[in-house]
Amino acid sequence: MAKTLTPEELKRKLDSGTPPLLLDVRRMEDRDKGGPGLPGAQWRDPAQMEIWAKDIPAGSEVALFCVRGGGVSQSVQATLDARGVTARYIEGGIAAWNETETLAADPDVALLRAQGVGERGLRHAVQVASIALTVARSQKEPLDLDLVRRGALLHDLGKVRDAGNLHGVAGAELGRELGLPEAVLACVEKHVRHGVPEAQAAGYGLPVRDYSFVSMEERIVSYADKLADILEAGLAESLADARVRLPEILAANPKLAKDEATRLRYVESWGLLEGKA
C-alpha cells in the first residue's frame, strides 16, 4: 500500500462518495505561521499523536498533511499504520497542494480548456507541471521555472488535433497560431518519444528534423510527463519512488517505454536529472 498520495489523488478522493478523514498534522507553530489548512481538515497535534491516534478506528481511511510531507507526516502515518488505519500523506505537504491549486488556476490551463482539452487532460497537465517544477528545483544549476511550468502545462496542447506521435508537432503549430513563445513550443514539440534525433524521426512518422533536447527545461518537461504516466498507472508508490525506479519500471513495462530507443533516452535523462550519470 502506498504511503503517499499526490494532491491530484486527494482531490479525487475528497470528491468521491466516501472521502477519507482529513487530518492537518502540522506542528502548532507551523500551523500558526502557515494559516488555514485544507478545507474540512481537522487539526491534530503531532506531539500528542499517541493519545489521539487510538481514537481513530482500525480500518479507517485517513489522508494527512504537514508543511512539506517530511518527517512529521511520515511519523504520524507510521503510527496510524501500526494501529491498522489506512493512512497516506500528501507528497510535498500543503506546499504541494497550494502549488497545484495555483497551477489549476493558471491562464495556460484556461487556454487549454478554450482549445477543447477535457478535464482529464487538464488534470494531467497540472500534474505534469507540478512534477516538472519539483524535478527542476532539485537540480544543481538554476533553471527557468517559468519555462518549465508553461512547457509542462501546454505539452499536450496538440492532442486536440492529433492523438498520436504527431501531437507534439501539432501542438507547436497550434501554439504558433496562438502566439506562444518558441521556447515553450520547443518543449511541446520535443516531448513526444523524448527528444527524437533526426535519424530516427521518420521511423516515428515525424517530419524529418532534429527533436533532440537543447535545454534542460525541455528535457525535464518530457521526463515529468513519463513520471506522471507511471504514477497514473499505479506503478510507483510516490513521485520519489518513481524517480528512483524509473529505469526498472520502464524495463518491466514495455508499453510504457514505447520502444527500446525511447526507453534508453529516458534512462539517459534519469541519469542526468537524478544524479546517476
Side-chain angles (χ1 to χ4, degrees):
M1 177 68 182
K3 296 179 181 179
T4 66
L5 73 171
T6 65
E8 293 79 10
E9 287 179 289
L10 179 57
K11 285 180 182 182
R12 290 194 291 272
K13 283 183 171 291
L14 293 176
D15 290 339
S16 71
T18 54
L21 173 64
L22 184 59
L23 297 182
D24 177 350
V25 296
R26 291 176 293 173
R27 295 186 181 94
M28 186 178 295
E29 59 269 27
D30 291 331
R31 178 171 173 260
D32 291 343
K33 288 188 297 185
L38 277 59
Q42 301 176 26
W43 182 70
R44 295 288 186 274
D45 187 349
Q48 303 293 323
M49 64 180 165
E50 293 294 343
I51 298 174
W52 55 258
K54 60 187 178 184
D55 294 329
I56 300 176
S60 300
E61 183 180 8
V62 172
L64 55 96
F65 62 90
C66 61
V67 177
R68 294 195 176 277
V72 175
S73 285
Q74 293 165 22
S75 178
V76 174
Q77 189 277 332
T79 297
L80 293 176
D81 184 69
R83 294 179 176 275
V85 175
T86 301
R88 299 169 71 186
Y89 61 90
I90 302 177
E91 191 165 9
I94 195 169
W97 174 276
N98 289 339
E99 179 168 78
T100 299
E101 291 286 281
T102 299
L103 288 169
D106 192 285
D108 283 333
V109 172
L111 183 153
L112 290 171
R113 185 177 284 112
Q115 294 302 312
V117 176
E119 290 304 313
R120 182 177 179 181
L122 296 177
R123 288 194 299 270
H124 176 72
V126 168
Q127 182 168 30
V128 172
S130 178
I131 292 170
L133 288 168
T134 298
V135 173
R137 290 184 182 120
S138 72
Q139 303 307 301
K140 292 181 179 179
E141 69 272 24
L143 297 173
D144 185 341
L145 297 182
D146 188 58
L147 174 57
V148 170
R149 174 185 57 79
R150 298 202 73 190
L153 284 173
L154 295 167
H155 76 284
D156 275 345
L157 172 64
K159 284 192 173 180
V160 299
R161 292 185 173 180
D162 185 280
N165 284 347
L166 286 172
H167 76 269
V169 172
E173 291 173 350
L174 176 54
R176 288 186 186 96
E177 295 171 16
L178 296 171
L180 297 176
E182 284 297 323
V184 172
L185 300 183
C187 296
V188 172
E189 186 170 70
K190 295 178 181 181
H191 87 277
V192 176
R193 298 303 179 105
H194 203 62
V196 176
E198 184 173 1
Q200 296 177 20
Y204 295 114
L206 297 172
V208 178
R209 55 178 177 267
D210 192 6
Y211 300 86
S212 300
F213 300 126
V214 173
S215 70
M216 289 295 282
E217 289 86 352
E218 294 168 2
R219 187 182 298 274
I220 286 171
V221 167
S222 183
Y223 182 70
D225 187 28
K226 187 55 59 180
L227 289 171
D229 289 343
I230 289 170
L231 291 174
E232 289 167 3
L235 297 173
E237 290 190 351
S238 64
L239 174 57
D241 180 42
R243 291 180 68 178
V244 169
R245 296 196 302 113
L246 180 135
E248 169 195 334
I249 293 168
L250 294 186
N253 296 272
K255 288 185 178 179
L256 194 63
K258 303 296 185 182
D259 60 78
E260 182 63 7
T262 300
R263 184 186 72 81
L264 291 175
R265 288 193 292 273
Y266 278 116
V267 172
E268 178 186 16
S269 288
W270 174 79
L272 291 170
L273 297 172
E274 307 297 354
K276 308 297 184 181

